[in-house]
Coordinates of all heavy atoms in Angstrom, one line a residue:
T1 N 0.8 -1.2 0.0 CA 0.0 0.0 0.0 C 0.8 1.3 0.0 O 0.5 2.3 -0.7 CB -0.9 0.0 1.2 OG1 -1.7 -1.2 1.2 CG2 -1.9 1.2 1.2
A2 N 2.0 1.2 0.7 CA 2.9 2.4 0.8 C 3.6 2.6 -0.6 O 4.0 3.7 -0.9 CB 3.9 2.2 1.9
G3 N 3.7 1.5 -1.4 CA 4.4 1.6 -2.6 C 3.5 2.2 -3.7 O 3.1 1.5 -4.6
T4 N 3.3 3.5 -3.7 CA 2.3 4.1 -4.5 C 2.8 4.1 -6.0 O 2.0 4.3 -6.9 CB 2.1 5.6 -4.1 OG1 3.3 6.2 -3.9 CG2 1.3 5.6 -2.8
R5 N 4.1 4.0 -6.2 CA 4.7 3.9 -7.6 C 4.9 2.5 -8.0 O 5.3 2.2 -9.2 CB 6.0 4.7 -7.6 CG 5.9 6.1 -7.7 CD 7.3 6.8 -7.7 NE 8.2 6.3 -8.7 CZ 9.4 6.8 -8.9 NH1 9.9 7.8 -8.2 NH2 10.2 6.2 -9.8
L6 N 4.8 1.5 -7.1 CA 5.2 0.2 -7.3 C 4.4 -0.5 -8.4 O 3.2 -0.5 -8.4 CB 5.1 -0.6 -6.0 CG 6.0 -1.8 -5.8 CD1 7.4 -1.4 -5.9 CD2 5.7 -2.4 -4.4
K7 N 5.1 -1.1 -9.4 CA 4.4 -1.9 -10.4 C 4.7 -3.4 -10.4 O 4.0 -4.2 -10.9 CB 4.9 -1.4 -11.8 CG 4.3 -0.1 -12.3 CD 5.1 1.1 -12.0 CE 4.5 2.4 -12.6 NZ 5.3 3.5 -12.1
V8 N 5.9 -3.7 -9.8 CA 6.3 -5.1 -9.8 C 7.1 -5.5 -8.5 O 7.9 -4.7 -8.1 CB 7.1 -5.5 -11.1 CG1 8.4 -4.6 -11.1 CG2 7.4 -7.0 -11.1
V9 N 6.8 -6.6 -8.0 CA 7.6 -7.2 -6.9 C 8.2 -8.5 -7.5 O 7.5 -9.4 -7.9 CB 6.8 -7.6 -5.7 CG1 7.7 -8.4 -4.7 CG2 6.2 -6.3 -5.0
G10 N 9.5 -8.6 -7.6 CA 10.2 -9.7 -8.1 C 10.8 -10.6 -7.0 O 11.5 -10.1 -6.2
R11 N 10.4 -11.8 -7.0 CA 11.0 -12.8 -6.0 C 12.0 -13.6 -6.7 O 11.7 -14.4 -7.7 CB 9.8 -13.7 -5.5 CG 10.3 -14.9 -4.8 CD 11.0 -14.7 -3.5 NE 11.0 -15.9 -2.7 CZ 12.1 -16.7 -2.6 NH1 13.2 -16.4 -3.3 NH2 12.1 -17.8 -1.9
A12 N 13.3 -13.5 -6.3 CA 14.4 -14.2 -6.9 C 14.4 -15.6 -6.3 O 15.2 -15.9 -5.4 CB 15.7 -13.5 -6.6
G13 N 13.5 -16.5 -6.8 CA 13.3 -17.8 -6.3 C 11.9 -18.3 -6.7 O 11.2 -17.6 -7.4
T14 N 11.5 -19.4 -6.1 CA 10.2 -20.0 -6.5 C 9.1 -19.5 -5.6 O 8.1 -19.0 -6.1 CB 10.3 -21.5 -6.5 OG1 11.4 -21.9 -7.4 CG2 9.0 -22.1 -7.0
G15 N 9.2 -19.8 -4.3 CA 8.1 -19.5 -3.4 C 7.8 -18.1 -3.2 O 8.8 -17.3 -3.1
V16 N 6.5 -17.7 -3.1 CA 6.2 -16.3 -2.9 C 5.3 -16.1 -1.6 O 4.6 -15.2 -1.5 CB 5.4 -15.7 -4.1 CG1 6.3 -15.5 -5.3 CG2 4.2 -16.5 -4.4
D17 N 5.6 -17.1 -0.7 CA 4.8 -17.0 0.6 C 5.2 -15.8 1.5 O 4.5 -15.5 2.5 CB 4.8 -18.3 1.3 CG 6.2 -18.9 1.4 OD1 6.6 -19.3 0.3 OD2 6.8 -19.0 2.5
N18 N 6.3 -15.2 1.2 CA 6.7 -14.0 1.9 C 6.2 -12.7 1.3 O 6.5 -11.6 1.7 CB 8.2 -13.9 2.0 CG 8.9 -13.8 0.6 OD1 8.6 -14.6 -0.2 ND2 9.9 -13.0 0.5
V19 N 5.3 -12.9 0.3 CA 4.7 -11.7 -0.4 C 3.2 -11.9 -0.3 O 2.6 -12.9 -0.5 CB 5.1 -11.7 -1.9 CG1 4.4 -10.5 -2.6 CG2 6.6 -11.6 -2.1
D20 N 2.5 -10.8 0.1 CA 1.0 -10.8 0.2 C 0.5 -10.6 -1.2 O 0.3 -9.5 -1.7 CB 0.6 -9.7 1.2 CG -0.9 -9.8 1.5 OD1 -1.7 -10.3 0.6 OD2 -1.3 -9.3 2.6
V21 N 0.3 -11.7 -1.9 CA 0.0 -11.7 -3.3 C -1.4 -11.1 -3.5 O -1.7 -10.3 -4.5 CB 0.0 -13.1 -3.9 CG1 -0.4 -13.1 -5.4 CG2 1.4 -13.7 -3.8
D22 N -2.4 -11.4 -2.6 CA -3.7 -10.8 -2.7 C -3.7 -9.3 -2.6 O -4.4 -8.6 -3.4 CB -4.7 -11.4 -1.6 CG -5.0 -12.8 -1.9 OD1 -4.9 -13.3 -3.0 OD2 -5.3 -13.5 -0.9
A23 N -2.9 -8.8 -1.7 CA -2.8 -7.3 -1.5 C -2.1 -6.7 -2.8 O -2.5 -5.6 -3.2 CB -2.0 -7.0 -0.3
A24 N -1.1 -7.4 -3.3 CA -0.4 -6.9 -4.5 C -1.4 -6.8 -5.7 O -1.4 -5.8 -6.4 CB 0.7 -7.8 -4.9
T25 N -2.2 -7.8 -5.8 CA -3.2 -7.8 -6.9 C -4.2 -6.7 -6.8 O -4.5 -6.0 -7.7 CB -4.0 -9.2 -6.9 OG1 -3.0 -10.3 -7.1 CG2 -5.0 -9.2 -8.1
K26 N -4.7 -6.5 -5.5 CA -5.6 -5.4 -5.4 C -5.0 -4.0 -5.7 O -5.7 -3.1 -6.1 CB -6.1 -5.4 -3.9 CG -7.3 -4.6 -3.7 CD -8.3 -5.1 -2.7 CE -9.6 -4.5 -2.7 NZ -10.6 -5.1 -1.8
N27 N -3.7 -3.9 -5.4 CA -3.0 -2.7 -5.7 C -2.5 -2.6 -7.1 O -1.8 -1.6 -7.5 CB -1.8 -2.5 -4.7 CG -2.3 -2.0 -3.3 OD1 -2.6 -0.8 -3.1 ND2 -2.4 -2.9 -2.4
G28 N -2.8 -3.6 -7.9 CA -2.4 -3.5 -9.3 C -0.9 -3.8 -9.5 O -0.4 -3.3 -10.5
I29 N -0.3 -4.5 -8.6 CA 1.1 -4.8 -8.7 C 1.4 -6.2 -9.1 O 0.8 -7.2 -8.6 CB 1.8 -4.5 -7.3 CG1 1.6 -3.1 -6.8 CG2 3.3 -4.9 -7.3 CD1 1.9 -2.9 -5.4
I30 N 2.2 -6.4 -10.1 CA 2.6 -7.7 -10.6 C 3.6 -8.3 -9.6 O 4.5 -7.7 -9.2 CB 3.3 -7.6 -12.0 CG1 2.3 -7.1 -13.1 CG2 3.8 -9.0 -12.4 CD1 2.9 -6.8 -14.4
V31 N 3.3 -9.6 -9.3 CA 4.2 -10.4 -8.5 C 4.8 -11.4 -9.4 O 4.1 -12.2 -10.0 CB 3.6 -11.1 -7.3 CG1 4.6 -11.9 -6.5 CG2 3.0 -10.0 -6.3
M32 N 6.1 -11.4 -9.6 CA 6.7 -12.4 -10.5 C 7.8 -13.2 -9.7 O 8.5 -12.7 -8.8 CB 7.3 -11.8 -11.7 CG 8.4 -10.8 -11.5 SD 9.3 -10.3 -13.0 CE 8.0 -9.6 -14.0
N33 N 8.0 -14.5 -10.0 CA 9.0 -15.3 -9.4 C 9.9 -15.9 -10.5 O 9.7 -15.6 -11.7 CB 8.5 -16.4 -8.6 CG 7.7 -17.4 -9.4 OD1 7.4 -17.3 -10.6 ND2 7.3 -18.5 -8.8
T34 N 10.9 -16.6 -10.1 CA 11.8 -17.3 -11.1 C 11.7 -18.8 -10.9 O 12.5 -19.4 -10.2 CB 13.3 -16.9 -10.9 OG1 13.7 -17.1 -9.6 CG2 13.4 -15.4 -11.2
P35 N 10.7 -19.4 -11.5 CA 10.3 -20.8 -11.1 C 11.4 -21.8 -11.5 O 11.4 -22.9 -10.9 CB 9.1 -21.0 -11.9 CG 9.0 -20.0 -13.0 CD 9.7 -18.8 -12.4
T36 N 12.3 -21.5 -12.4 CA 13.3 -22.5 -12.8 C 14.7 -22.2 -12.2 O 15.5 -23.1 -12.2 CB 13.5 -22.5 -14.3 OG1 14.0 -21.2 -14.8 CG2 12.2 -22.7 -15.0
G37 N 14.9 -21.1 -11.5 CA 16.2 -20.7 -11.1 C 16.9 -21.6 -10.1 O 18.1 -21.9 -10.2

């Protein structure tokens, strides 16, 4: 919510359980991971 300019949160790894994905979606922020890394 504080990230008023935020467009993307990148997780360098697979799991995104440390990211509130539902809140990101509501704020229009893309959450991406690196599933093969």
Side-chain angles (χ1 to χ4, degrees):
T1 302
T4 51
R5 285 178 50 176
L6 207 57
K7 282 92 175 177
V8 61
V9 173
R11 164 70 165 97
T14 304
V16 292
D17 42 294
N18 59 317
V19 180
D20 190 330
V21 177
D22 290 338
T25 302
K26 194 146 194 176
N27 283 281
I29 299 166
I30 296 171
V31 178
M32 61 170 61
N33 67 349
T34 56
T36 62

